[in-house]
Amino acid sequence: MTDQMTIATPGDETILTADYADTSEALAGSEAATVNTGGLLAEPTNDEDESALPDWLRESRARAWREFQTLALPARTEQAWRFSTLGKIDLKNYQPAQPISETVREKLIARSAGNRDSAGLMVFANDRLIAREVYAAELAAQGVLWLPLDEAARAHGDLFRRHFMTQEILLGSKKFAALHAARVRAGTFLYVPKNVEVALPLEVFHWLGGGAGSAVFPHTLLIAEAGSKVTLVDYYESERADAGGFACGVNDLVVGPGAQVTYLCAQNWNEKTVSFQINTTTVERDAKVTSLHLNLGAAYARLESLSRLVGAGGRSDMLAATVANGTQEFDQRTLQDHVAPHTTSDLLYKNSLSDTARTIFAGLIRVEPQAQATDAYQKVRNLLLSEEAEANSMPGLEILADEVRCTHGATSGAVDAEEMFYLLSRGIDPLTARQLIVFGFLNEIVERLGDERVAGKLTELLRAKFERLHAERRQQRSNNSAAVAAAA
């Protein structure tokens, strides 16, 4: 049985129509407790790496596993999972990723090429650190801590424990966050002391390798003290294009008074991977955070991004650019939570959809009663490149204060005919013309960073996906032409 729902977006925005299945598509086994049937549903086993962790962290992992077992798997009848294709998620199909071989290790290190100028590089493969380089020698002298997660937990336990997995999960993936907390074994801890500026970006590569069914749980914890400034980039990549896996990542940004943080997340798993990314940002007085999520890979990718503005004068810019093709599905859930007065948030998400790809956006601006003089903006733009592509947009407001300025909206549309005509009239073929238009549409997001050092790699990743899609389209046309000729 299939129902149909029509969503009207505010203002002059396009009306989107989407089919959604009834509760029969909810995950099998979404009862109140998870039954142990193997894969990631099996209880984690202790290993040598875990035995080296502090007692409190091992106990925390055990508590998280018990919570995971008691929480229900999500159902599409829940508002937080509306329109999601839950049938793509089956935890029984995945196992914790195993160590990679030395040969693969060397290849992945060679492929971990970020920006030309950076302060340091970490490379993880299957949740194990395989390389670490610090190019800016002054970092340690300034008191900057940039460590693997397990090392930080041992050497800086009080600071680490104060912020590790302490934020409430509000956007639907509480069960998956508990799974992450129970199985996390690797990631990055970055601490920037008061008034310290890290001039160049720090970069981290997270690789998912091996055969099909491997699972990783990358984690990022960034703490920027008052008056500090730093840029951190996370890249998520697959060793192979043909081996589907599961990735469940968490990143927490804690931004102190007057600090400035730029966080970039480039999700480029292969198109057979299921991905969850849960982001929580806390913005204190006069602090500024810019976060950008580049969504390219995965069969199903869910991004939950929560920004809490808890200090007057705080600002959060939330950006995302998505290229969806084939049967890919990108599920985006956001919350701009204004807790303190005189705070600003600005969300701009852009999605390009071709073939039968789907996107879901559900975003809420919430203004607490005491958060007077709030400025909040939320804009989602969908560029539909085929009649079969589907964009579902649900922007929302919850305003409990009376002196605010808040706007939201969502638009969907096809490639502009005049733009196409202009390019075609100059001898550009239709495939290339459309690629140029889409690239310009999305590249506005990258340009808003205002930093060519970090924008360059993101632009390179965008171009690489467009070039691959372009080559696939040309090959498909060639095959079709050959088939017609053979039939004649």
Side-chain angles (χ1 to χ4, degrees), residues 360-429:
I360 304 112
F361 174 85
L364 178 66
I365 296 173
R366 183 167 66 195
V367 182
E368 306 289 351
Q370 69 276 13
Q372 301 293 345
T374 284
D375 278 354
Y377 308 91
Q378 183 186 96
K379 181 72 171 180
V380 182
R381 294 187 61 196
N382 303 304
L383 183 60
L384 302 175
L385 305 176
S386 77
E387 294 183 357
E388 292 77 25
E390 178 185 317
N392 302 286
S393 299
M394 298 173 285
L397 299 173
E398 183 181 323
I399 300 176
L400 305 178
D402 52 18
E403 186 185 339
V404 302
R405 181 170 58 184
C406 298
T407 63
H408 69 170
T411 62
S412 290
V415 170
D416 186 88
E418 291 187 3
E419 291 183 5
M420 278 293 291
F421 177 79
Y422 176 84
L423 294 173
L424 294 175
S425 67
R426 277 150 182 78
I428 300 174
D429 68 87

Side-chain angles (χ1 to χ4, degrees), residues 243-420:
F246 177 83
C248 184
V250 171
N251 55 284
D252 291 325
L253 313 179
V254 183
V255 187
Q260 297 181 49
V261 169
T262 301
Y263 175 72
L264 311 177
C265 172
Q267 187 275 103
N268 196 30
W269 304 119
N270 68 33
E271 293 182 14
K272 295 187 176 183
T273 294
V274 171
S275 170
F276 284 80
Q277 193 66 37
I278 302 168
N279 166 242
T280 302
T281 302
T282 304
V283 186
E284 297 191 23
R285 177 178 50 82
D286 295 326
K288 180 181 179 182
V289 181
T290 300
S291 62
L292 188 156
H293 291 266
L294 181 62
N295 304 307
L296 303 175
Y300 170 86
R302 183 175 173 103
L303 167 65
E304 297 185 3
S305 188
L306 162 62
S307 188
R308 300 187 70 243
L309 296 114
V310 299
R315 179 184 178 96
S316 177
D317 289 271
M318 304 167 69
L319 308 172
T322 300
V323 182
N325 65 281
T327 59
Q328 286 184 293
E329 180 172 326
F330 292 91
D331 191 353
Q332 304 162 330
R333 314 283 168 154
T334 69
L335 173 59
Q336 299 155 255
D337 190 9
H338 290 260
V339 180
H342 300 282
T343 53
T344 302
S345 67
D346 188 358
L347 181 148
L348 176 60
Y349 276 34
K350 285 191 169 187
N351 304 311
S352 138
L353 301 90
S354 59
D355 305 319
T356 58
R358 303 179 71 241
T359 60
I360 304 112
F361 174 85
L364 178 66
I365 296 173
R366 183 167 66 195
V367 182
E368 306 289 351
Q370 69 276 13
Q372 301 293 345
T374 284
D375 278 354
Y377 308 91
Q378 183 186 96
K379 181 72 171 180
V380 182
R381 294 187 61 196
N382 303 304
L383 183 60
L384 302 175
L385 305 176
S386 77
E387 294 183 357
E388 292 77 25
E390 178 185 317
N392 302 286
S393 299
M394 298 173 285
L397 299 173
E398 183 181 323
I399 300 176
L400 305 178
D402 52 18
E403 186 185 339
V404 302
R405 181 170 58 184
C406 298
T407 63
H408 69 170
T411 62
S412 290
V415 170
D416 186 88
E418 291 187 3
E419 291 183 5
M420 278 293 291

